[in-house]
Every structure is written in structure tokens, then in C-alpha cells.
């Protein structure tokens, strides 16, 4: 009788055996698409892009079912990961970073297991460079908002510097009410956790959704009640 675990192992071996063939097929297919329907590209860039995409896809496809299901945890942040990777690759290709140094790039120490990280709970986030590049908000403006508690910046496992949750920005500015909520919460991190959490006072909607619909006074009032409740229960607000 074939057990489920044995069947899974056999399927995994089959995926590994077919990986190289799949990679070659993907490479040729992607290169063909770029040649005929893609933007004008130089041949070296086209070949690198095709091979890179083929390698990544074939590597992911050959993972076990459990690992493939685990990829759901990085779905919201994949654009940030890919952007950073592409930027690093450009620097390596143009000689701005030594290949030898890249191979020995130091990794960050593992964070405390009890520390909630931005990747896990805060939703889509991005660093100042990506936000300036794709959303047109200058880095100097982001840092000023962060310094004066007018926008939320939090720590994340994927960056050595604080990143900004993207849902707080509308039309290039933080939503009205963000600064007031931070002031009431006493911490940018605590303010964001409260803003994105389902709230029974709002029929299960998150306060952030109400800010987006213009109900600023209602959210600020609720934030005040929440903060006073925390104080009455002896909960200490952690400063950002």
C-alpha cells in the first residue's frame, strides 16, 4: 500500500527530474515572447531576463506541496522582493557592486520569535526608494512625515531600515486622520495595528477603511476611546 508521504516523495522526485527540461522550455518560450511582443531589448538583457524567469519558475514548481502552499505568506510582498532583487542585479551587471562582495553579503540576524514583523501582519510595505520610484513621493518627504509622526513607518525582516505601509497613502499623501491616530496611540506601530484590525464598533470594518471613506472624526473619536481603555487596563504604549 502506497502511503501519502511516499507518494508525495515520488511526486517530488518526478518534479526534480523534469526541472531542467521545464527550465529549457520556459527559457525558449519567454525569449520568444520578448522577441515578438515585448519591449525592445538588447540581446544580453533579453537572454538574462528569459533565463532568470525560467530558473525561478522551474525552481518553485519542483518544490514540495507544503512549500508551495507556504508561498502564500510572501504574496503581498513579492513586488518589493522582486524590485530589490532586480536593482541588485543591475548594480552587479554594471560593476557598481563587486561580485565577490555579493557572494559574501552578511545576512541580518534572526529576529526574536515573539516580535511581530511587518511582512506578517502589516500588509504591503515598501521602502523610501521604491515609493519614490513608483509613487513619486520624495524620500525627504517620507522621512519628514515619519519624524513628525504624520505617517507610519515600521520595521520589517526584509529591510535594514523602516518601511512604510502602502495602504496609508492616497493621492501621494497619508490619509487624513493618520497623524491624529499616531498621536493618540503614542506609537506608529501600535497605531497601524489598530487601524488595520477589524473593529466591532464599525461592524467589523477596519478603522483604516473608514478613514479612506472620509469618516475621520469618527475614527479619531474611536481611537481616543481605545487609548483610554488601554490606559485603564494598565497597558503601556510602546514608543516608535
Amino acid at each position: 500500500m502506497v502511503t501519502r508521504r511516499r507518494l508525495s516523495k515520488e511526486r517530488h522526485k518526478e518534479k526534480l527530474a523534469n526541472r531542467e527540461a521545464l527550465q529549457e522550455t520556459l527559457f525558449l518560450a519567454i525569449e520568444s515572447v520578448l522577441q515578438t511582443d515585448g519591449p525592445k531589448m538588447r540581446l544580453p538583457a533579453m537572454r538574462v531576463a528569459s533565463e532568470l524567469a525560467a530558473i525561478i519558475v522551474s525552481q518553485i514548481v519542483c518544490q514540495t506541496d507544503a512549500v508551495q502552499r507556504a508561498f502564500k505568506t510572501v504574496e503581498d510582498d513579492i513586488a518589493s522582493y522582486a524590485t530589490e532583487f532586480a536593482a541588485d542585479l543591475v548594480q552587479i551587471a554594471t560593476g557598481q557592486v563587486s561580485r565577490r562582495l555579493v557572494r559574501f553579503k552578511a545576512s541580518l540576524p534572526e529576529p526574536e520569535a515573539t516580535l511581530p514583523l511587518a511582512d506578517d501582519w502589516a500588509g504591503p510595505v515598501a521602502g523610501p526608494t521604491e515609493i519614490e520610484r513608483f509613487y513619486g513621493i520624495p524620500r525627504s518627504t517620507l522621512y519628514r512625515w515619519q519624524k513628525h509622526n504624520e505617517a507610519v513607518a515600521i520595521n520589517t525582516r526584509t529591510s535594514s531600515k523602516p518601511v512604510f505601509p502602502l495602504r496609508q497613502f492616497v493621492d501621494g499623501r497619508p490619509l487624513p486622520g493618520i497623524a491624529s491616530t499616531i498621536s493618540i496611540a503614542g506609537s506608529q506601530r501600535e497605531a497601524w495595528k489598530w487601524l488595520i484590525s477589524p473593529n466591532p464598533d464599525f461592524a467589523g470594518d477596519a478603522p483604516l477603511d473608514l478613514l479612506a471613506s472620509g469618516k475621520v472624526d469618527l475614527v479619531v473619536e474611536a481611537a481616543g476611546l481605545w487609548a483610554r481603555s488601554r490606559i485603564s487596563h494598565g497597558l503601556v504604549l510602546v514608543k516608535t
Side-chain angles (χ1 to χ4, degrees):
M1 181 177 179
V2 179
T3 65
R4 182 177 298 179
R5 178 174 295 181
R6 182 179 173 185
L7 181 61
S8 178
K9 287 183 178 180
E10 290 177 354
R11 288 176 59 191
H12 183 53
K13 287 181 180 179
E14 184 179 351
K15 290 178 183 178
L16 290 175
N18 295 332
R19 187 184 64 78
E20 290 187 4
L22 174 62
Q23 181 177 320
E24 180 65 20
T25 300
L26 287 169
F27 172 79
L28 295 174
I30 295 168
E31 186 179 46
S32 176
V33 170
L34 291 176
Q35 286 175 341
T36 57
D37 301 320
K40 186 175 181 181
M41 298 178 67
R42 297 293 183 182
L43 183 59
M46 182 184 300
R47 292 187 64 83
V48 167
S50 302
E51 186 170 2
L52 181 62
I55 290 172
I56 292 174
V57 172
S58 63
Q59 289 283 355
I60 291 176
V61 166
C62 76
Q63 300 300 318
T64 63
D65 290 346
V67 171
Q68 290 189 28
R69 286 193 293 270
F71 277 108
K72 182 174 179 61
T73 62
V74 298
E75 270 187 304
D76 291 340
D77 300 311
I78 195 63
S80 178
Y81 297 151
T83 299
E84 290 184 12
F85 177 79
D88 288 344
L89 195 62
V90 168
Q91 287 188 323
I92 296 169
T94 55
Q96 296 179 43
V97 178
S98 166
R99 291 175 182 266
R100 184 175 299 175
L101 288 177
V102 170
R103 289 185 180 182
F104 294 95
K105 184 184 289 184
S107 58
L108 293 173
E110 286 296 320
E112 293 291 336
T114 56
L115 178 65
L117 298 168
D119 314 56
D120 300 326
W121 61 270
V125 297
T129 300
E130 288 77 18
I131 292 177
E132 182 174 40
R133 184 184 306 163
F134 294 106
Y135 299 95
I137 305 175
R139 280 175 286 183
S140 58
T141 301
L142 287 166
Y143 289 133
R144 187 181 74 249
W145 287 341
Q146 178 189 1
K147 180 179 179 180
H148 295 288
N149 285 325
E150 296 174 2
V152 173
I154 46 186
N155 293 322
T156 168
R157 78 175 78 183
T158 57
S159 175
S160 59
K161 297 180 179 179
V163 293
F164 295 80
L166 297 178
R167 291 176 59 199
Q168 68 183 306
F169 299 116
V170 172
D171 296 331
R173 294 192 59 81
L175 281 165
I178 293 286
S180 297
T181 305
I182 294 172
S183 177
I184 292 169
S187 161
Q188 294 177 20
R189 186 184 188 86
E190 291 299 321
W192 189 248
K193 287 171 67 175
W194 182 79
L195 282 168
I196 63 174
S197 299
N199 193 309
D201 293 336
F202 303 139
D205 292 336
L208 186 67
D209 296 329
L210 274 74
L211 286 184
S213 64
K215 299 176 181 177
V216 178
D217 292 341
L218 189 61
V219 171
V220 172
E221 181 181 357
L225 293 173
W226 163 73
R228 287 193 290 273
S229 174
R230 286 173 61 87
I231 293 172
S232 67
H233 285 84
L235 296 175
V236 179
L237 298 179
V238 180
K239 295 291 183 181
T240 303

